[in-house]
Amino acid sequence: INDPVVVEALRFIHSSANRAISVDDVVEQLAMSKRALYQKFMNSLGRTVHQEIVWTRTERIARMLEGTELTITQIALDLGFPGQNHISRYFKKARGMTPRQYRMRYKCT
């Protein structure tokens, strides 16, 4: 990625994946307009800032489902979700399956 603004935004998103952040949080961190950041993301990555946040958070959830014995509720609380129901809806919307289904399919043994 050649755009230093996008690189900095990605660093912030990835370092904040253990808590709920919004596009506004990224915009505030970079001190630029939402529209300008949106355009930079689309030009550099072909996706929006929001899509990157969701992908990063669901990737963190997936790694924890695969690599730990933590319950889904524990993962939810560790990542700033209010509970199992919320993380399940969030994950299913992004990945097309519930965390439990994901864990059963991809859990390392």
Side-chain angles (χ1 to χ4, degrees), residues 20-33:
I21 62 166
S22 67
V23 174
D24 289 335
D25 294 324
V26 180
V27 167
E28 184 179 317
Q29 177 72 22
L30 299 173
M32 68 181 317
S33 76

Side-chain angles (χ1 to χ4, degrees), residues 24-51:
D24 289 335
D25 294 324
V26 180
V27 167
E28 184 179 317
Q29 177 72 22
L30 299 173
M32 68 181 317
S33 76
K34 192 181 291 189
R35 181 177 175 90
L37 185 60
Y38 175 86
Q39 289 175 332
K40 287 180 173 288
F41 259 71
M42 289 305 292
N43 290 339
S44 295
L45 302 172
R47 61 185 174 267
T48 67
V49 177
H50 178 72
Q51 289 170 326

Side-chain angles (χ1 to χ4, degrees), residues 49-99:
V49 177
H50 178 72
Q51 289 170 326
E52 183 64 27
I53 292 168
V54 170
W55 184 88
T56 301
R57 297 221 349 120
T58 57
E59 188 65 17
R60 179 76 52 96
I61 295 164
R63 297 294 76 81
M64 291 179 81
L65 291 167
E66 293 171 21
T68 72
E69 295 297 326
L70 295 173
T71 67
I72 295 167
T73 299
Q74 288 171 317
I75 292 171
L77 297 175
D78 284 354
L79 297 180
F81 290 92
Q84 182 175 342
N85 290 338
H86 191 261
I87 197 173
S88 292
R89 283 191 308 273
Y90 186 88
F91 192 84
K92 185 172 185 175
K93 184 177 179 182
R95 296 287 179 114
M97 66 181 80
T98 67

